[in-house]
Amino acid sequence: MNAPGSPPSIAVVGSGVIGLSAALRLCEAGCKVTVLARERPPQTTSNVAAAYWSPGCTEGPQHKWSLETLRVLEKLAAQHPAFLSPRRFWKLFKRPVADPSLGEGMSRIQRLPQGQLPEGIGDAWGCDTYVIHADRYLAWLTAQLETQGVRFETRELRALSEVPPGFAAIVNASGLGARELVPDAGMYAIRGQVVRVELPGALPLCILNHHEDDVATYVVPRQDDCILGGTYLYREEQRAADEATTAAILERCQRLAPQLQGARILEVKVGLRPGRDAVRLGCERMRDGRPVVHAYGHGPVGFTLSWGCASQVKRLVLETQGMAGTLQA
Ligand SMILES: Cc1cc2nc3c(=O)[nH]c(=O)nc-3n(C[C@H](O)[C@H](O)[C@H](O)COP(=O)(O)OP(=O)(O)OC[C@H]3O[C@@H](n4cnc5c(N)ncnc54)[C@H](O)[C@@H]3O)c2cc1C
């Protein structure tokens, strides 16, 4: 535990986008943070993500967390164009729709004129968003934490009780790992495969997103390459890329954006999204009395919710230390 008057020592389990964002907010609030993780970037699921801010989180606490994240990304984008770029997002539909459910708080919601629709698409609604280059962003977050004196330990835990004594509170940001660590039987994998290709010069810099009949197709142009997706395979855990899936992704994306024909494949990646029916963000006590703030189960929208969740983690951790409203809370 902490000596009176000294900053609380907090262990953050997990080094994906959720753990790193929460760790940064805790540092800024004056906590002494150690990050424990089995994998660190670039080996985490977060590194596989197409990582655009998704306008689909329109309900419950997710809505608030996503809008807070959007505000943070807006500020960061001005300083970090190498990993954060404004993009137009287009949600595509087979048939015309009256309400695209893009949610409040979006800017420049607009319908694409009929003449500009991709082949086979009956309607498209757009709004402004940001695309994050996950590898560069997670490396930047890690560097920020190192500058603030955060210690990183690469280790696998079998249970949260294995977090060494001496930490006043634990943040559990272990993604799908929470299934075994907590354990939480409500967690499941949502397998995602993406193909990274060279950015064809002629491709308009906007995100195209088309979900239909359980098939998800997305084209996400980044700073100097393009992520093509994808799959949402519930409870599938094969980590190796599947060739037939790669071919299907290329074919579907080229139909939406013919400029992608012939684009050179740079990499094929697979990630298991941490699925859960709802994000778990709350506090409980372990048997030894130590408080744990759980922050996992972000499924397909971890980047979209990251800063909102990080602020909530910080509030909960400071409450456990009787510090709500103190430091820079
Ligand atoms: C293909 C794909 C595309 C995506 N696109 C988007 C997108 O466009 N927008 C968006 O918002 N989200 C997107 N996502 C979702 C997003 O990537 C996830 O929601 C997010 O990565 C979850 O972050 P996390 O930090 O909870 O988990 P992770 O990144 O999985 O990190 C978990 C951490 O916990 C550690 N850990 C786990 N178990 C243990 C243990 N037992 N002991 C020690 N450490 C442990 C891991 O090593 C890791 O460091 C996408 C995901 C995929 C796969």
Side-chain angles (χ1 to χ4, degrees):
M1 295 295 143
N2 307 294
S6 63
S9 280
I10 311 297
V12 174
V13 178
S15 191
V17 68
I18 299 301
L20 296 179
S21 318
L24 196 53
R25 285 290 176 262
L26 288 167
C27 281
E28 290 162 0
C31 298
K32 191 170 167 234
V33 177
T34 299
V35 177
L36 311 169
R38 187 179 55 208
E39 290 99 10
R40 292 184 55 188
Q43 258 83 44
T44 68
T45 298
S46 297
N47 286 87
V48 179
Y52 59 87
W53 184 92
S54 171
C57 300
T58 53
E59 284 171 13
Q62 293 210 5
H63 188 220
K64 197 174 89 177
W65 296 333
S66 72
L67 290 181
E68 180 171 347
T69 306
L70 183 61
R71 284 195 296 272
V72 175
L73 296 181
E74 270 163 13
K75 280 196 197 130
L76 286 177
Q79 301 148 30
H80 302 288
F83 57 73
L84 204 41
S85 303
R87 288 278 179 272
R88 202 76 187 124
F89 171 88
W90 291 105
K91 193 171 168 75
L92 310 178
F93 302 89
K94 194 119 195 168
R95 280 167 279 283
V97 292
D99 174 12
S101 303
L102 293 180
E104 298 158 33
M106 311 293 93
S107 55
R108 295 203 299 136
I109 292 186
Q110 174 197 8
R111 201 173 205 165
L112 197 66
Q114 280 289 324
Q116 295 176 30
L117 292 173
E119 202 191 315
I121 295 297
D123 205 352
W125 286 84
C127 64
D128 288 337
T129 188
Y130 290 90
V131 66
I132 300 167
H133 191 299
D135 285 341
R136 294 177 191 166
Y137 181 63
L138 296 169
W140 175 79
L141 282 174
T142 304
Q144 296 298 107
L145 291 168
E146 283 169 348
T147 306
Q148 305 240 12
V150 168
R151 229 164 36 86
F152 284 85
E153 267 185 46
T154 305
R155 62 182 283 189
E156 176 164 18
L157 302 169
R158 281 164 304 168
L160 290 171
S161 55
E162 287 186 1
V163 172
F167 291 106
I170 297 163
V171 175
N172 172 22
S174 57
L176 187 59
R179 186 171 53 183
E180 289 80 30
L181 261 187
V182 173
D184 184 338
M187 293 291 296
Y188 46 86
I190 311 172
R191 183 179 181 279
Q193 182 165 323
V194 291
V195 185
R196 191 167 72 84
V197 298
E198 255 177 8
L199 187 62
L203 190 69
L205 289 181
C206 61
I207 295 168
L208 301 176
N209 177 293
H210 187 217
H211 277 222
E212 206 182 59
D213 300 335
D214 289 342
V215 180
T217 307
Y218 46 85
V219 175
V220 184
R222 304 197 300 186
Q223 288 73 11
D224 39 31
D225 57 12
C226 185
I227 303 288
L228 309 180
T231 61
Y232 289 81
L233 298 175
Y234 282 74
R235 297 175 209 281
E236 283 208 18
E237 305 214 5
Q238 188 198 318
R239 285 174 190 268
D242 173 71
E243 273 185 39
T245 304
T246 301
I249 289 172
L250 287 170
E251 199 266 324
R252 294 200 314 267
C253 289
Q254 284 164 1
R255 224 178 310 139
L256 290 186
Q259 301 91 332
L260 289 165
Q261 298 278 353
R264 194 161 67 90
I265 296 179
L266 301 173
E267 200 178 12
V268 180
K269 288 173 123 185
V270 172
L272 303 182
R273 300 176 182 91
R276 194 173 189 272
D277 290 353
V279 173
R280 184 171 186 196
L281 217 177
C283 185
E284 68 175 356
R285 295 242 164 214
M286 296 203 301
R287 279 213 189 111
D288 63 11
R290 284 187 293 175
V292 182
V293 174
H294 295 289
Y296 62 84
H298 295 79
V301 285
F303 282 84
T304 307
L305 305 180
S306 53
W307 288 114
C309 288
S311 295
Q312 181 64 3
V313 166
K314 180 190 74 177
R315 275 190 285 274
L316 292 172
V317 167
L318 294 185
E319 262 173 42
T320 68
Q321 304 305 301
M323 292 163 64
T326 62
L327 300 171
Q328 291 114 47

